């Protein structure tokens, strides 16, 4: 019976793929077609009916198309042979088919047929773009850039991807404009620094490719159920998988997981979640592949555009999540609403934009209602509190330090910081909460936070040779100082003899905010 099922569905796939392959000589590229097909309801229907990851279906279609002999496009027996062969070697699809209850078999078969018609219609749509069978390049489609003030704007035109060549990237960068990519309601705004893509820059035959994939319902369910803290949240709208790659002039492809500058991402907030966004209970999270957790990113809600904005230096899977279950073992977002703030004493300050961003996120507060005091020194207790806010830690902890009183405003944060392994005392029973924090102490706490978040920590102390005062870094602090510098969380400061780390220098509130923001933007 199972063999009959497999053969029957294979036949359905074969019939569908006849529609897929027949027009390939004149069709758009495989990437073009599949990108649009994944948005079609018939695609999600097949994924849901077979209960498989959509990547399995997408890879199967690609595998078939790439294995067809372009000289035998009209040879039905050849097409069926390839389709059947690829199906029988695809363990995930075979397992999905044989696991189907008899009552669901007919629906699955019909879903596959619908997908076949979608494939056929899509590939017949645009004969102007060279396809794989016709020998054209996948990225040969041109996306036009429009300028508007300080922005260069490119629209995906309802596609899930945008390709730009190296000359286009160079022109935007040389004009010192930000590059805004629009994928329907999702927008990515690349800073000038983020456009430093060495293998692509200035090369007409090189390409920068960006994709924004909206996950199917079954994919979202699988991701949330597989996450350690997935049961704590519900998804508002969709989960977006944002990826990018560079293809140099020799057609060598490199996945780009991080950038040298920040990228502002705007995600649409569904109407039923806008109140949650305005009160701060809806936040942006990113999925951490290493820890299998959803990590807090934050985000600032723009109520006029109904979008959540956040900055990042790397692409990943992002979602707007709202907490539905309380837990003390999982880092949670603080309920403070992200509200745009203004401080009278930071106008013209070098860190003004970072201070406003972090304050609007609720990560840091002003000393007064309308003053931030950017040049005030940060104490150890204050920085522990800032770091706990950035990580979104909640729950309770205990401290053994005699100088940290339970009634002190900073007690809960210092307790949580110590519990998470972020902070240590100045001695066995002393924390020195009111002492100004030094740059090397701050580096140690930030690198501890990196480890807590499951980030990669590079601690080769040889990188400290970049600093004229490297000999002044305490032995215990050298691994942390090196890791913080390698991650570009701490970037050094000018000194009389050149770039300095300033290990024993105290830190201002402005400097602390910038380092914390750098930490947030660091690749997880």
């Amino acid at each position: 019976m199972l063999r009959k099922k497999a053969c029957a569905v294979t036949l359905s796939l074969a019939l569908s793929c006849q529609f897929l392959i027949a027009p390939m000589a004149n069709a758009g590229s495989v990437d073009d077609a599949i990108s649009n097909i994944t948005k079609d309801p018939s695609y999600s229907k097949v994924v849901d009916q077979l209960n498989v990851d959509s990547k399995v279906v997408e890879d199967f279609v690609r595998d078939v198309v790439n294995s067809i002999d372009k000289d035998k496009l009209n040879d039905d027996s050849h097409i069926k042979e390839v389709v059947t062969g690829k199906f029988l070697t695809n363990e995930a699809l075979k397992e999905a088919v044989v696991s189907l209850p008899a009552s669901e078999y007919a629906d699955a078969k019909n879903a596959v047929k619908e997908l076949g018609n979608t494939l056929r219609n899509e590939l017949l749509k645009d004969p102007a773009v060279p396809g794989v069978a016709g020998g054209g390049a996948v990225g040969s489609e041109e996306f036009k850039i429009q300028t508007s003030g300080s922005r260069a704007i490119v629209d995906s035109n309802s596609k899930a991807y945008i390709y730009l060549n190296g000359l286009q990237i160079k022109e935007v960068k040389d004009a010192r404009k930000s590059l805004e990519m629009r994928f329907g309601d999702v927008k990515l705004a690349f800073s000038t620094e983020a456009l430093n893509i060495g293998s692509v820059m200035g090369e007409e035959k090189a390409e920068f490719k960006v994709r924004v994939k909206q996950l199917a319902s079954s994919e979202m369910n699988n991701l949330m159920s597989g996450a350690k803290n997935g049961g704590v949240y519900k998804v508002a709208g969709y989960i977006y998988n944002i990826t990018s790659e560079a293809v140099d002039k020799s057609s060598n492809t490199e996945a780009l997981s991080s950038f040298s500058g920040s990228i502002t991402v705007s995600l649409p907030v569904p109407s039923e979640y806008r109140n949650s966004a305005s009160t701060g209970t809806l936040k942006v999270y990113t999925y951490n592949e290493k820890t299998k957790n959803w990590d807090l990113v934050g985000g600032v809600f723009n109520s006029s555009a109904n979008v959540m904005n956040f900055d990042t230096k790397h692409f990943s899977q992002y979602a707007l999540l709202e907490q539905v279950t309380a837990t003390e073992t999982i880092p949670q977002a603080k309920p403070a609403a992200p509200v745009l703030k203004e401080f009278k004493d930071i106008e013209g300050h070098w860190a003004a934009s970072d201070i406003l961003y972090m304050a609007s996120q609720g990560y840091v507060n002003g000393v007064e209602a309308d003053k931030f005091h950017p040049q005030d020194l940060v104490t150890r207790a204050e920085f522990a509190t800032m770091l706990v806010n950035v990580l979104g830690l909640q729950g309770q902890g205990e401290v053994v330090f005699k100088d940290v009183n339970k009634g002190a405003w900073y007690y809960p944060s210092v307790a949580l910081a110590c519990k998470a392994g972020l902070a240590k005392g100045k001695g066995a029973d002393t924390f020195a909460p009111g002492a100004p924090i030094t740059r090397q102490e701050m580096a140690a706490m930030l690198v501890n936070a990196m480890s807590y978040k499951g980030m990669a920590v590079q601690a080769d102390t040889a990188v400290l040779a970049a600093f004229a005062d490297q000999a002044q870094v305490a032995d215990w602090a050298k691994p942390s100082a090196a890791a913080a510098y390698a991650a570009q969380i701490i970037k050094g400061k000018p000194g009389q003899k050149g770039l300095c780390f300033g290990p024993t220098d105290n830190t201002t509130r402005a400097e602390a905010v910038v380092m914390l923001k750098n930490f947030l933007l660091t690749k997880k």
Side-chain angles (χ1 to χ4, degrees), residues 349-426:
H349 193 279
W350 64 272
S353 61
D354 292 326
I355 292 170
L356 288 175
Y357 175 83
M358 296 295 282
S360 296
Q361 294 274 21
Y363 295 136
V364 297
N365 295 309
V367 175
E368 302 174 46
D370 58 355
K371 292 184 179 180
F372 188 78
H373 291 205
Q375 296 308 117
D376 285 2
L377 298 182
V378 179
T379 67
R380 287 169 52 81
E382 287 173 334
F383 188 72
T385 301
M386 290 178 181
L387 193 53
V388 164
N389 287 343
V390 165
L391 291 173
L393 301 184
Q394 287 188 341
Q396 295 181 344
E398 294 288 338
V399 294
V400 296
F401 306 117
K402 294 180 180 179
D403 58 351
V404 179
N405 299 318
K406 282 198 171 183
W409 66 267
Y410 51 76
Y411 180 90
S413 295
V414 171
L416 281 174
C418 292
K419 179 181 179 182
L422 308 179
K424 296 180 180 179
K426 299 280 279 187

Side-chain angles (χ1 to χ4, degrees), residues 130-186:
V132 171
V138 168
S140 58
E141 181 174 2
E142 180 181 352
F143 289 86
K144 294 183 179 180
I145 297 177
Q146 305 292 330
T147 58
S148 176
S150 62
R151 296 176 300 162
I153 303 169
V154 57
D155 198 291
S156 70
N157 299 317
S158 300
K159 294 181 172 63
Y161 57 86
I162 288 175
Y163 299 159
L164 295 177
N165 65 47
L167 287 179
Q168 290 175 300
I169 296 294
K170 187 176 187 301
E171 288 173 3
V172 173
K173 188 175 184 302
D174 288 349
R176 301 194 62 79
K177 295 181 181 292
S178 65
L179 175 63
E180 183 177 299
M181 292 187 175
R182 297 180 176 179
F183 299 84
D185 293 330
V186 177

Side-chain angles (χ1 to χ4, degrees), residues 21-29 73 123-134:
I21 301 301
M24 279 304 294
N26 293 317
S29 73
L73 293 177
L123 291 172
L124 284 172
K125 265 195 330 190
D126 187 6
V129 181
V132 171

Side-chain angles (χ1 to χ4, degrees), residues 281-298:
T281 57
L282 186 73
K283 294 279 190 177
V284 179
Y285 288 76
T286 182
Y287 185 67
N288 189 322
E289 294 284 354
K290 184 176 292 186
T291 64
K292 306 301 180 187
N293 272 314
W294 283 99
D295 291 342
L296 173 67
V297 174

Side-chain angles (χ1 to χ4, degrees), residues 266-277:
S266 301
L267 300 181
V269 178
S271 57
E272 64 269 29
Y273 287 97
R274 288 169 189 168
N275 183 59
S276 298

Side-chain angles (χ1 to χ4, degrees), residues 17-293:
C17 286
Q18 286 184 62
F19 294 127
L20 166 65
I21 301 301
M24 279 304 294
N26 293 317
S29 73
V30 177
D31 268 6
D32 293 351
I34 291 181
S35 174
N36 291 332
I37 290 163
T38 56
K39 298 178 182 178
D40 193 89
S42 64
Y43 182 85
S44 298
K45 200 170 182 180
V46 167
V47 172
D48 292 338
Q49 287 288 345
L50 295 183
N51 194 27
V52 293
D53 191 298
S54 70
K55 188 72 166 59
V56 172
V57 180
E58 180 179 328
D59 287 347
F60 171 72
V61 174
R62 286 182 187 277
D63 202 11
V64 169
V65 172
N66 290 329
S67 299
I68 294 291
D69 185 338
K70 66 179 181 180
D71 293 327
K72 297 182 179 180
L73 293 177
N74 296 316
D75 187 340
D76 290 351
S77 62
H78 170 67
I79 294 172
K80 288 180 180 179
E81 179 183 352
V82 172
V83 171
T84 303
K86 294 301 178 184
F87 177 84
L88 293 176
T89 57
N90 190 310
E91 296 300 325
L93 276 181
K94 280 200 302 182
E95 179 65 25
V97 170
V98 300
S99 300
L100 280 174
S103 59
E104 297 179 10
Y105 172 60
D107 288 339
K109 185 176 178 181
N110 290 332
V112 171
K113 286 183 176 179
E114 286 182 32
L115 176 60
N117 290 328
T118 300
L119 291 167
R120 178 181 184 276
N121 293 335
E122 175 61 34
L123 291 172
L124 284 172
K125 265 195 330 190
D126 187 6
V129 181
V132 171
V138 168
S140 58
E141 181 174 2
E142 180 181 352
F143 289 86
K144 294 183 179 180
I145 297 177
Q146 305 292 330
T147 58
S148 176
S150 62
R151 296 176 300 162
I153 303 169
V154 57
D155 198 291
S156 70
N157 299 317
S158 300
K159 294 181 172 63
Y161 57 86
I162 288 175
Y163 299 159
L164 295 177
N165 65 47
L167 287 179
Q168 290 175 300
I169 296 294
K170 187 176 187 301
E171 288 173 3
V172 173
K173 188 175 184 302
D174 288 349
R176 301 194 62 79
K177 295 181 181 292
S178 65
L179 175 63
E180 183 177 299
M181 292 187 175
R182 297 180 176 179
F183 299 84
D185 293 330
V186 177
K187 296 179 181 178
L188 312 177
F190 294 78
S191 64
T192 304
E193 293 76 16
L195 296 177
N196 288 322
I197 308 167
S199 61
V200 172
M201 189 64 63
E203 296 288 346
E204 185 177 9
K205 294 184 178 179
E207 288 183 327
F208 175 47
K209 305 180 179 182
V210 178
R211 292 179 178 278
V212 176
K213 179 182 178 183
Q214 180 179 295
L215 268 59
S217 57
S218 60
E219 291 178 293
M220 293 197 296
N221 291 336
N222 290 339
L223 192 58
M224 294 304 291
S225 62
K228 292 179 182 178
N229 59 348
V232 178
Y233 306 104
K234 62 180 177 181
V235 180
Y238 296 94
I239 297 174
Y240 300 93
N241 186 19
I242 307 177
T243 59
S244 62
E245 62 184 21
V247 182
D248 67 20
K249 61 183 179 180
S250 300
S251 298
N252 298 311
T253 301
E254 174 192 7
L256 298 175
S257 56
S258 60
F259 297 83
S260 56
S262 64
I263 302 160
T264 300
V265 181
S266 301
L267 300 181
V269 178
S271 57
E272 64 269 29
Y273 287 97
R274 288 169 189 168
N275 183 59
S276 298
S278 64
T279 59
T281 57
L282 186 73
K283 294 279 190 177
V284 179
Y285 288 76
T286 182
Y287 185 67
N288 189 322
E289 294 284 354
K290 184 176 292 186
T291 64
K292 306 301 180 187
N293 272 314

